[in-house]
């Protein structure tokens, strides 16, 4: 049955002129978030552009975003950008669709409820303390690398019950390479299927195979232990209403997805938080005062979090300015209406946290790092999709409680002992991939607090 839709505006939403073949691809550039921001500021809350064969709308009005992610969610699937990472993520929660996704989400949801996640707080604090005990004052580190080692260790322990890191350096480097190569592929005007043995495809397949081997080893070791309080055990035991459980392949894809979706995003939240704090000493002083008052030097627990509002505000503000996931996309599976325009089947709707989080209507002086803006109930006053670092609607990040608790505990555990000076000559820039890492890392010197 065809759906009847009312279209008030003819043609496409406004947008920049492009070339016949590539469309606007040459204007997008490696700092694609600048292109998105320009687009929204020039053409308004719904703008249109083309990348090769893909027609995209960039939507930055909270109500329109809500329409895509909530009201019309059943008429959209993940867009080509998310699908491009399927070679690594498999058919796990991030990339799966339809009934299969829903059944997996229902099976996994209980493991991520707040009460269950709270039980991981001691592991997070203990591993943060262990990292700090290996540091020494004056040492030069790359904060992004340090925090990725830590959040990976936390993920391995809470997900798979593993105490040793295995070859983290190997996972980290191979993953960076695979994400780099997949991003380059995504940016190309034309690509051959990944199975086609071009030199670029062969490189991608090798990098992806290395990541998969390394992480499969974590999963295999996690599975060979007796069941425990880790997420993998919970998933192994989880049963559907009809009594069925996940197959080995499903467990593998979900475990891979949780590990990859969870550890780097949280490492980036911590890295950008410390970067911003290093540039704003008065905010850092307020944070240190809060810790001194509430914790007095002891290790933070889950029960302390409600008494650390400035810590939460810093994390919110860091994810506002440097959202670890800076854009999400959906592809229409049928003809639809959005903002008065026709969205044809196959069109992609992009929603960019980088853009929305800089809207002066909701965040006055948007480029300014101002944790205070979160202290007087801003979260309850904002429209639902003005601030959405974890997405929203049915595909809301399953790890949002896990990540916010981890970021707060690690920030307080580490920050009570050390502060960080970013090298004055360091070039700090972003490298938008599927996430938003610093382009040249985050070189810092450790100082005792
Ligand atoms: C600060 C850290 C994190 C950020 C910013 C973040 C962000 C996001 C966003 C924006 C989405 C929605 C994607 C979309 O709608 O297309 C998402 C989905 C997801 N995230 Fe996170 N995430 C974080 C941490 C985590 C953690 C710690 C885990 C797991 C332990 C996790 C697991 C997932 C999964 C499985 C999905 C897919 C959910 C579904 O579609 O059912 N994330 N995340």
């Amino acid at each position: 049955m065809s759906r009847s839709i009312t279209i008030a505006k003819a043609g496409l939403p406004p947008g920049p002129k492009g070339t016949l073949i590539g469309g606007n691809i040459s204007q997008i550039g490696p700092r694609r978030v600048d292109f998105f921001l320009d687009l929204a500021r020039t053409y308004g809350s719904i703008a249109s552009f083309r990348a090769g064969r893909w027609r995209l709308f960039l939507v930055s009005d909270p109500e329109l975003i809500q329409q895509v992610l909530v009201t019309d969610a059943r008429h959209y699937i993940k867009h080509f950008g998310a699908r491009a990472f399927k070679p690594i993520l498999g058919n796990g929660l991030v990339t799966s669709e339809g009934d299969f996704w829903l059944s997996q989400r229902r099976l996994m949801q209980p493991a991520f409820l707040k009460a269950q996640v709270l039980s991981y707080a001691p592991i997070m604090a203990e591993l943060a303390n262990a990292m700090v005990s290996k540091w020494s004052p004056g040492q030069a580190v790359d904060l992004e690398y340090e925090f990725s080692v830590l959040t990976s260790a936390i993920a391995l322990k809470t997900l798979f019950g593993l105490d040793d890191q295995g070859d983290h350096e190997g996972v980290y480097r191979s993953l960076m390479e695979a994400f780099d190569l997949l991003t380059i592929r995504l940016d190309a005007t034309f690509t051959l299927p990944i199975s086609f043995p071009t030199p670029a495809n062969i490189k991608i397949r090798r990098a992806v195979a290395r990541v998969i081997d390394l992480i499969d080893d974590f999963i295999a070791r996690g599975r060979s232990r007796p069941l425990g309080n880790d997420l993998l055990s919970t998933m192994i035991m989880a049963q559907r209403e009809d009594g069925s459980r996940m197959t080995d392949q499903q467990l593998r894809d979900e475990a891979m997805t949780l590990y990859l979706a969870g550890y780097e995003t949280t490492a980036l939240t911590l890295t950008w938080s410390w970067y911003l704090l290093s540039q704003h000493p008065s905010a850092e002083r307020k944070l240190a005062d809060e810790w001194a008052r509430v914790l007095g030097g002891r290790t933070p627990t889950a029960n302390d979090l409600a008494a650390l509002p400035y810590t939460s505000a810093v994390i919110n503000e860091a994810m506002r300015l440097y959202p670890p996931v800076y854009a999400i996309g959906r592809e229409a599976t049928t003809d639809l209406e959005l903002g008065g325009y026709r969205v044809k089947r196959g069109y992609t709707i992009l929603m960019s946290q980088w853009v929305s989080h800089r809207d002066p209507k909701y965040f006055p002086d948007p480029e300014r790092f101002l944790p205070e803006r979160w202290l007087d109930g801003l979260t309850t006053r904002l429209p639902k999709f003005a601030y959405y670092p974890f997405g929203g609607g049915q595909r809301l990040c399953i790890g949002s409680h896990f990540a916010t608790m981890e970021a707060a505990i690690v920030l307080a555990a580490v920050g009570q002992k050390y502060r960080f000076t970013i090298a004055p000559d360091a070039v700090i820039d972003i490298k938008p991939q599927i996430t938003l890492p610093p382009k040249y890392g985050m070189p810092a010197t450790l100082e005792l607090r």
Side-chain angles (χ1 to χ4, degrees):
M1 198 179 68
S2 74
R3 294 161 19 86
S4 78
I5 48 175
T6 311
I7 307 295
K9 299 173 188 163
L12 293 166
K17 255 186 143 39
T19 59
L20 188 63
I21 301 201
N24 305 98
I25 213 155
S26 62
Q27 298 156 34
I28 298 174
R31 270 189 59 117
R32 68 196 68 201
V33 290
D34 294 341
F35 174 77
F36 297 159
L37 199 57
D38 256 13
L39 210 59
R41 293 196 173 151
T42 313
Y43 300 102
S45 58
I46 180 161
S48 154
F49 67 104
R50 192 162 62 80
R53 65 195 170 98
W54 304 106
R55 167 60 60 191
L56 297 106
F57 291 3
L58 178 76
V59 170
S60 43
D61 173 79
E63 277 186 22
L64 295 180
I65 296 174
Q66 174 144 354
Q67 191 176 331
V68 177
L69 294 182
V70 182
T71 324
D72 287 343
R74 66 191 184 287
H75 299 303
Y76 288 102
I77 54 172
K78 293 279 174 113
H79 77 312
F80 61 91
R83 295 199 297 266
F85 293 90
K86 244 182 163 165
I88 296 189
L89 296 175
N91 200 28
L93 273 192
V94 168
T95 45
S96 60
E97 299 287 354
D99 291 345
F100 177 74
W101 163 79
L102 185 62
S103 150
Q104 292 294 98
R105 174 97 192 196
R106 286 202 178 127
L107 209 52
M108 290 163 69
Q109 190 70 53
F112 287 91
L113 294 179
K114 214 166 182 174
Q116 175 67 24
V117 165
L118 287 179
S119 70
Y120 298 129
I123 297 176
M124 294 167 177
E126 187 191 312
L127 290 171
N129 286 339
M131 172 179 79
V132 167
S133 70
K134 289 190 206 129
W135 283 350
S136 44
Q139 190 183 337
V141 294
D142 175 355
L143 282 184
E144 190 210 359
Y145 183 71
E146 294 294 311
F147 284 121
S148 83
V149 173
L150 173 62
T151 56
S152 168
I154 291 173
L156 291 180
K157 180 70 184 170
T158 55
L159 281 177
F160 309 131
L162 295 180
D163 286 306
D164 87 275
Q165 275 271 20
D167 177 12
H168 176 75
E169 173 88 28
V171 175
Y172 180 79
R173 304 278 166 227
S174 310
L175 197 60
M176 287 294 158
E177 190 190 355
F179 277 153
D180 266 347
L181 293 167
L182 287 169
T183 309
I184 293 169
R185 181 180 154 81
L186 191 61
D187 287 345
T189 315
F190 293 110
T191 47
L192 290 162
I194 215 156
S195 54
F196 206 85
T198 61
N201 279 351
I202 291 171
K203 260 172 111 179
I204 293 178
R205 274 161 36 196
R206 282 205 191 119
V208 167
R210 266 197 307 277
V211 177
I212 290 179
D213 271 1
L214 290 161
I215 300 178
D216 270 350
D217 173 58
F218 295 151
I219 300 171
R221 283 194 286 141
R223 292 204 67 179
S224 65
R225 293 163 317 105
L227 296 177
N229 181 39
D230 55 276
L231 289 164
L232 189 64
S233 300
T234 317
M235 292 193 310
I236 291 171
M237 287 183 291
Q239 273 190 17
R240 296 189 180 81
E241 277 165 14
D242 64 3
S244 64
R245 295 170 196 260
M246 282 191 219
T247 63
D248 279 4
Q249 181 65 38
Q250 285 163 4
L251 270 174
R252 194 201 140 278
D253 284 4
E254 298 302 0
M256 178 81 81
T257 293
L258 292 178
Y259 174 74
L260 291 179
Y263 97 87
E264 210 228 335
T265 42
T266 314
L268 291 178
T269 305
L270 289 159
T271 305
W272 289 118
S273 295
W274 281 115
Y275 167 67
L276 289 161
L277 288 166
S278 76
Q279 309 300 302
H280 297 87
S282 70
E284 192 182 337
R285 266 193 305 279
K286 280 191 197 163
L287 197 55
D289 285 351
E290 179 172 271
W291 295 332
R293 212 171 46 249
V294 178
L295 303 171
R298 71 179 164 75
T299 298
T301 69
N303 291 333
D304 292 316
L305 298 181
L308 297 172
Y310 202 75
T311 307
S312 306
V314 164
I315 293 165
N316 277 350
E317 187 67 348
M319 288 196 294
R320 183 180 73 78
L321 284 168
Y322 291 96
V325 175
Y326 62 88
I328 54 182
R330 296 290 185 272
E331 182 177 304
T333 55
T334 178
D335 285 2
L336 288 162
E337 177 276 338
L338 187 63
Y341 293 97
R342 180 188 297 277
V343 178
K344 287 195 187 154
R345 179 168 172 243
Y347 281 9
T348 294
I349 312 298
L350 273 189
M351 295 143 281
S352 167
Q353 288 89 342
W354 179 275
V355 173
S356 300
H357 294 182
R358 282 171 169 71
D359 188 337
K361 195 157 141 201
Y362 305 112
F363 305 102
D365 203 355
E367 290 297 339
R368 185 154 165 230
F369 175 67
L370 195 62
E372 286 70 14
R373 65 172 97 234
W374 296 97
L375 293 180
D376 65 347
L378 176 63
T379 320
T380 51
R381 290 196 312 277
L382 286 175
K384 204 160 177 194
F385 290 96
Y387 179 74
Y388 52 105
F390 295 105
Q394 56 180 2
R395 310 286 311 230
L396 174 75
C397 174
I398 204 170
S400 61
H401 295 312
F402 187 104
T404 40
M405 181 173 83
E406 179 176 358
I409 287 197
V410 171
L411 205 67
V414 171
Q416 287 190 94
K417 300 193 177 121
Y418 277 98
R419 48 194 305 277
F420 309 97
T421 313
I422 306 296
D425 56 347
V427 180
I428 305 300
D429 199 356
I430 50 171
K431 183 167 71 172
Q433 299 179 322
I434 193 169
T435 57
L436 198 65
K439 191 168 182 181
Y440 310 105
M442 191 62 73
T445 310
L446 307 178
E447 282 172 48
L448 276 182
R449 186 172 298 282

